[in-house]
Amino acid sequence: MVTVNENYLKLRGSYLFSEIGRRVNTFAAEHPDKKVIRLGIGDVTQPLAPAIIKALHEAVDEMGAAETFRGYAPDLGYEFLRKTISEQDYKARGCQIEADEIFVSDGAKSDSGNIQEIFGADNRIAVCDPVYPVYVDTNVMAGRTGSFDEEKGLWSDVIYMPCTAQNGFAPELPAKTPDLIYLCFPNNPTGAVVTKAVLQEWVDYANKNGAVIIYDAAYEAYISEDNIPHSIYECEGARECAIELHSFSKNAGFTGLRLGYTVIPKDLKRQGVMLHSLWARRHGTKYNGAPYIVQRAGEAVYSEEGKKQVTAQVAAYMKNASYILDGLKAAGYTVSGGVNAPYIWMKTPDGMDSWEFFDHLLKTANVVGTPGAGFGPSGEGYFRLTAFGKYEDTVEAIERIKRM
């Protein structure tokens, strides 16, 4: 008899953003005259930069000629893109990451979910709380999280690292020693960052305890302060303990194209095995490579024109972030983030829980955000707004909130 993977039956309800979509769609259907402004899901709104469009057109033309046609992409990514990433994202910052340590994929979300497959089911994970749900849910699917405590909202075999106002929404080194440590800076959902000195403490901790850090750097393009690291490999010893995830979605608007990459240094070994080799085998077995035209578009992000254009787009989103941050502060809300990240983390008013405030905001101001409870127990009482909307909509949304 066919059986199912019972770990999937442990998953809690629907995926956070699916539930948000359901509630918003229901409200929109019942109130077709209302303009709903979405500052919830972190999808971009600006069109692709001209340099990227040009590269896409040129690559499409190549695919239409026999002499330049490409079939299957190399499993780990085209050399032209991996070399460019190595030189501009790493060596330019003093990080010795080689092209053959970079694995091109269809995005950081996929990699953050898939990377756990190369680790044993008995490894114990540590996550920030609040946390990007994919980190936890994919480990639930793998049978690594134990049982769920309905009252506490916690998994029995997960080490939670609370991120609260008291610690600046940045985690402290855990009392219990984990095997896998998920870190995301700039952080989704709180927008928090850590200095290089603090990140070095995590690297030292991981090396001392034999742990592996899975470092999500999807939002590094939004860093504006000088003392904030863009990569964990800026820290000494990170090559021996860290895997880094990157995305083209938020820095260059590739949410519809899908492109990202993961870095696994060859120095990173456990049980005498290079994790690089395990991920290469997993990648080559289960993935056929990002399309050629998309990888050429990714290469264009690093061109002189491309860098100018995507930097301008990031600046436009951060203009939104500043408007949200300043507007909510002026209205008396307690808020953080929005300086080195496109996310604003606000405390819900009047003692409302986060889903209660979600419904109140949707019905009263017709604005959509993300309930903090969807990111974990420490997210309760907080709410995430994103800066990825159009500027005019962002201004209108904040003015509506001020009038509530």
Side-chain angles (χ1 to χ4, degrees):
M1 183 180 74
V2 173
T3 59
V4 300
N5 181 345
E6 294 188 2
N7 292 316
Y8 278 68
L9 305 181
K10 298 178 182 179
L11 292 166
R12 314 312 302 163
S14 64
Y15 181 53
L16 169 63
F17 298 109
S18 298
E19 175 60 20
I20 290 173
R22 185 192 68 78
R23 295 194 187 200
V24 173
N25 290 337
T26 298
F27 178 84
E30 294 174 351
H31 304 87
D33 57 319
K34 302 292 186 181
K35 176 187 175 183
V36 176
I37 299 177
R38 300 170 188 258
L39 301 181
I41 296 177
D43 197 0
V44 296
T45 54
Q46 296 183 62
L48 293 170
I52 297 168
I53 293 295
K54 181 174 181 290
L56 281 169
H57 281 298
E58 290 174 351
V60 168
D61 288 341
E62 287 183 55
M63 296 295 281
E67 60 270 23
T68 53
F69 172 78
R70 305 284 202 300
Y72 288 124
D75 288 344
L76 310 185
Y78 282 100
E79 179 70 13
F80 64 77
L81 180 56
R82 298 166 84 196
K83 183 177 179 181
T84 299
I85 292 170
S86 170
E87 291 174 350
Q88 299 208 33
D89 281 349
Y90 291 102
K91 292 182 179 178
R93 294 188 175 118
C95 307
Q96 290 305 306
I97 297 297
E98 302 300 329
D100 64 357
E101 295 176 314
I102 295 165
F103 299 79
V104 177
S105 71
D106 62 354
K109 179 179 180 179
S110 299
D111 287 352
S112 67
N114 294 330
I115 194 68
Q116 53 79 27
E117 290 187 23
I118 67 173
F119 298 101
D122 58 347
N123 281 293
R124 193 154 189 192
I125 70 167
V127 298
C128 296
D129 174 28
V131 65
Y132 180 47
V134 172
Y135 306 155
V136 175
D137 285 354
T138 52
N139 278 284
V140 174
M141 294 172 181
R144 200 175 280 120
T145 56
S147 58
F148 188 73
D149 186 320
E150 295 283 355
E151 183 177 344
K152 296 180 179 179
L154 302 171
W155 292 95
S156 61
D157 293 346
V158 174
I159 297 171
Y160 290 89
M161 303 180 291
C163 300
T164 65
Q166 287 68 38
N167 60 16
F169 301 106
E172 299 170 0
L173 297 175
K176 296 180 180 179
T177 304
D179 301 299
L180 305 176
I181 303 169
Y182 286 81
L183 295 177
C184 175
F185 294 111
N187 185 258
N188 176 18
T190 67
V193 291
V194 293
T195 63
K196 181 179 177 181
V198 170
L199 190 57
Q200 183 68 58
E201 291 179 7
W202 282 96
V203 170
D204 294 342
Y205 174 87
N207 279 323
K208 178 182 177 181
N209 292 284
V212 171
I213 297 173
I214 300 172
Y215 191 77
D216 189 342
Y219 300 95
E220 63 83 18
Y222 291 83
I223 294 172
S224 63
E225 296 177 322
D226 293 336
N227 64 334
I228 307 301
H230 288 253
S231 168
I232 196 169
Y233 301 117
E234 294 177 41
C235 295
E236 184 178 353
R239 285 184 56 88
E240 288 79 43
C241 70
I243 295 170
E244 187 163 281
L245 314 175
H246 271 261
S247 171
F248 285 76
S249 288
K250 304 303 167 43
N251 67 323
F254 277 47
T255 54
L257 284 184
R258 307 307 308 149
L259 189 66
Y261 65 87
T262 287
V263 178
I264 305 186
K266 294 182 180 179
D267 296 342
L268 177 49
K269 300 177 182 180
R270 292 297 181 268
Q271 293 181 289
V273 178
M274 285 200 313
L275 299 188
H276 180 280
S277 299
L278 297 184
W279 185 241
R281 181 58 190 267
R282 191 269 172 205
H283 212 60
T285 301
K286 291 191 173 185
Y287 185 61
N288 257 346
Y292 171 72
I293 61 174
V294 177
Q295 294 195 49
R296 279 297 185 193
E299 180 188 34
V301 172
Y302 297 93
S303 68
E304 288 305 311
E305 284 303 306
K307 284 189 285 190
K308 291 178 184 177
Q309 292 162 5
V310 298
T311 297
Q313 290 187 339
V314 168
Y317 289 132
M318 290 310 291
K319 179 181 178 183
N320 292 348
S322 294
Y323 192 91
I324 296 170
L325 189 67
D326 294 342
L328 292 178
K329 282 183 178 179
Y333 291 92
T334 301
V335 289
S336 59
V339 176
N340 295 291
Y343 295 121
I344 290 81
W345 191 238
M346 65 180 293
K347 188 172 179 60
T348 56
D350 303 323
M352 291 187 187
D353 69 42
S354 57
W355 277 108
E356 183 182 4
F357 183 67
F358 173 91
D359 290 331
H360 176 67
L361 188 66
L362 178 60
K363 294 173 182 177
T364 306
N366 310 146
V367 173
V368 178
T370 308
F375 299 104
S378 292
E380 184 55 88
Y382 287 89
F383 203 74
R384 191 192 75 174
L385 294 173
T386 81
F388 290 117
K390 298 177 181 177
Y391 181 72
E392 296 77 11
D393 287 344
T394 299
V395 171
E396 183 178 348
I398 298 308
E399 294 309 308
R400 291 182 189 179
I401 295 173
K402 287 180 178 179
R403 293 195 296 267
M404 283 174 43

